[in-house]
Amino acid sequence: MTDHYDDLETRPAEAREKALLAELPAQIAHAKAAAPGYAKHLAAIDPAAVTSRAELAELPLTRKSDLTSAQALDLPFGGMTTLPPGRLRRIFASPGPIYEGESHGIDHWRTARALFATGFREGDILQNCFSYHFTPAGVMFETGAEALGCAVIPAGTGNTELQARTMADLQPRGYVGTPDFLKLILEKADQLDHDTRSVTLAHVSGGPLLPPLREFYSARGIDVFQSYGTADLGLIAYETEGREGLVLAEGILVEIVRPGTGEPVPEGEVGEVVVTSFDRCSPLIRFATGDLSAILPGRSPCGRTAPRLRGWLGRADQSTKVRGMFVHPGQVAEVLKRHELARGRLVVASRQGIDEVTLQVEAADAAIADAVAETLADVTKLRAAVAVVPPGSLPNDGKVIDDTRKFT
């Protein structure tokens, strides 16, 4: 049994970076030429000039809200795919609704290497408990299992009694689904005296794998691995036997940017996960996931050389309403940018029902407070106190707006 899915996972990091950057101009040119929505979105961009991460960072972000708005005007895909609907393999409808297309091919969503890292191999049986109804999660992992040569029980969600009976009858080696649903199946199996000891592997996603849950599975002899992805992009990162963060998938370029902006942050700093895919059908360019994470320094002990994410650390959209007006992370970022400040946090509190707003900024010179407060009022139309704190003192958690008010 080999340790890695293919040689791509262990190639020198510099070779991977060079290959991804070499593909960028052609992918951007393809998106502009074949996807009318991207022709508009990137109208001012010369694809041939985008050959580095710095140049990529100058491109506008694509957000889920952009997809929703575009599709509302131009069904079904808002001009953001390169194939007509009739030439796709499947069309999904995620909440929103947002329509997503899957092209023909093997392992379209790149989940095979995540399942391989979990330990699944050709000839294994997997009970797939991700939803097959409208959304792509079930298909994402089924196509990855198919690429590995595994048989799949398309169990979907719900009906724990039938799930437990099927698991006992068909004796799958592993489970694929959300972190907590397997526990419900196993507990139902215990009630019904069904033997589920064949399940020794599990691959989970779509929710937090909390330590008590991992310990529960470990006590039953089940080794659990997790991955992170989205319905728009497929697999982004996956856990390996190294157990230190999530290794980035091959074939995508990931940036971590300051929430509310497209500006990349230094390695180790928490920010929003932004992904550029090289999918020829759905060429998402700088797609902002809305999720917070950070790049871990160094390499995984498993031998894979791709960068690693710390994992899912929350949501990047921290917009809130203060004194009847919305404040967005991008506005806070603009204030910091005007004063060449690296980090800041807008703290919103309430005292006796009155909103109190304080902008904390990291700076060596406390004398800038008045100037920053004036800029904050100009950008947000809010009067607020400014507290200058020592550099490096604010938590590295990606928060730009911290709303501490209690509404219940």
Side-chain angles (χ1 to χ4, degrees):
M1 191 184 302
T2 58
D3 293 328
H4 303 110
Y5 183 69
D6 56 26
D7 291 340
L8 294 177
E9 293 185 338
T10 56
R11 59 182 160 165
E14 298 77 11
R16 177 183 296 104
E17 182 76 357
K18 183 178 179 180
L20 289 172
L21 294 177
E23 285 188 64
L24 262 181
Q27 180 70 345
I28 296 170
H30 171 67
K32 290 189 66 174
Y38 265 117
K40 297 177 183 178
H41 190 63
L42 302 176
I45 303 301
D46 175 12
V50 187
T51 58
S52 70
R53 284 183 177 265
E55 289 155 347
L56 177 64
E58 296 297 319
L59 272 59
L61 297 177
T62 302
R63 295 196 173 276
K64 194 177 286 284
S65 57
D66 295 328
L67 302 183
T68 305
S69 300
Q71 290 184 8
L73 298 174
D74 182 14
L75 287 170
F77 304 120
M80 305 297 271
T81 62
T82 63
L83 292 175
R87 292 183 59 192
L88 295 169
R89 185 180 185 182
R90 298 182 181 92
I91 299 173
F92 301 100
S94 293
I98 295 178
Y99 298 107
E100 294 129 350
E102 177 191 18
S103 62
H104 294 270
I106 298 173
D107 193 24
H108 172 85
W109 306 99
R110 301 179 302 278
T111 58
R113 67 178 66 253
L115 295 175
F116 187 94
T118 296
F120 291 116
R121 297 295 185 269
E122 183 177 358
D124 287 339
I125 301 173
L126 283 66
Q127 188 152 329
N128 186 358
C129 295
F130 279 114
S131 175
Y132 280 80
H133 181 69
F134 278 119
T135 58
V139 167
M140 281 182 178
F141 286 94
E142 174 160 321
T143 53
E146 181 183 2
L148 292 182
C150 299
V152 175
I153 304 167
T157 59
N159 202 337
T160 54
E161 185 169 333
L162 180 58
Q163 297 271 9
R165 174 63 184 270
T166 301
M167 192 172 282
D169 287 348
L170 298 184
Q171 297 286 291
R173 185 183 181 204
Y175 161 93
V176 178
T178 56
D180 54 351
F181 188 49
L182 175 58
K183 184 174 186 287
L184 297 178
I185 296 173
L186 296 175
E187 290 173 340
K188 177 60 70 174
D190 291 345
Q191 293 175 15
L192 300 174
D193 198 26
H194 290 328
D195 183 0
T196 58
R197 287 175 295 176
S198 68
V199 177
T200 58
L201 290 175
H203 186 91
V204 302
S205 192
L209 176 58
L210 301 175
L213 202 52
R214 197 190 283 269
E215 291 166 7
F216 171 85
Y217 294 135
S218 179
R220 298 185 68 121
I222 301 173
D223 209 4
V224 182
F225 293 77
Q226 59 186 322
S227 63
Y228 160 58
T230 73
D232 320 271
L233 292 158
L235 180 73
I236 296 174
Y238 58 101
E239 189 174 23
T240 74
E241 65 271 24
R243 301 291 192 184
E244 294 181 5
L246 306 180
V247 175
L248 292 182
E250 302 292 333
I252 56 173
L253 198 157
V254 174
E255 305 167 86
I256 306 295
V257 308
R258 201 171 306 285
T261 78
E263 175 190 348
V265 300
E267 182 181 275
E269 186 166 334
V270 176
E272 183 176 9
V273 179
V274 170
V275 181
T276 294
S277 83
F278 293 89
D279 180 356
R280 302 293 281 179
C281 171
S282 301
L284 292 174
I285 309 296
R286 300 202 80 207
F287 184 79
T289 64
D291 295 323
L292 292 174
S293 192
I295 296 293
L296 288 173
R299 296 285 175 257
S300 173
C302 71
R304 293 170 177 84
T305 57
R308 295 167 298 157
L309 291 180
R310 276 179 55 187
W312 185 82
L313 301 177
R315 292 292 292 172
D317 185 8
Q318 302 154 27
S319 300
T320 191
K321 183 178 279 189
V322 182
R323 302 171 194 159
M325 292 181 289
F326 278 104
V327 184
H328 307 281
Q331 292 174 303
V332 178
E334 175 62 23
V335 174
L336 299 178
K337 181 179 179 181
R338 291 189 189 183
H339 293 274
E340 299 182 344
L341 298 170
R343 297 177 67 189
R345 173 183 303 229
L346 190 74
V347 180
V348 183
S350 178
R351 184 166 63 91
Q352 297 180 343
I354 305 299
D355 289 343
E356 291 188 337
V357 185
T358 303
L359 177 60
Q360 300 173 342
V361 297
E362 291 185 358
D365 183 7
I368 69 167
D370 289 344
V372 173
E374 186 175 335
T375 303
L376 179 66
D378 178 55
V379 172
T380 66
K381 311 308 177 190
L382 289 172
R383 291 289 173 186
V386 172
V388 178
V389 300
S393 61
L394 291 178
N396 180 23
D397 57 9
K399 279 191 177 181
V400 177
I401 298 176
D402 186 11
D403 192 342
T404 65
R405 296 170 296 180
K406 305 296 184 183
F407 295 100
T408 59

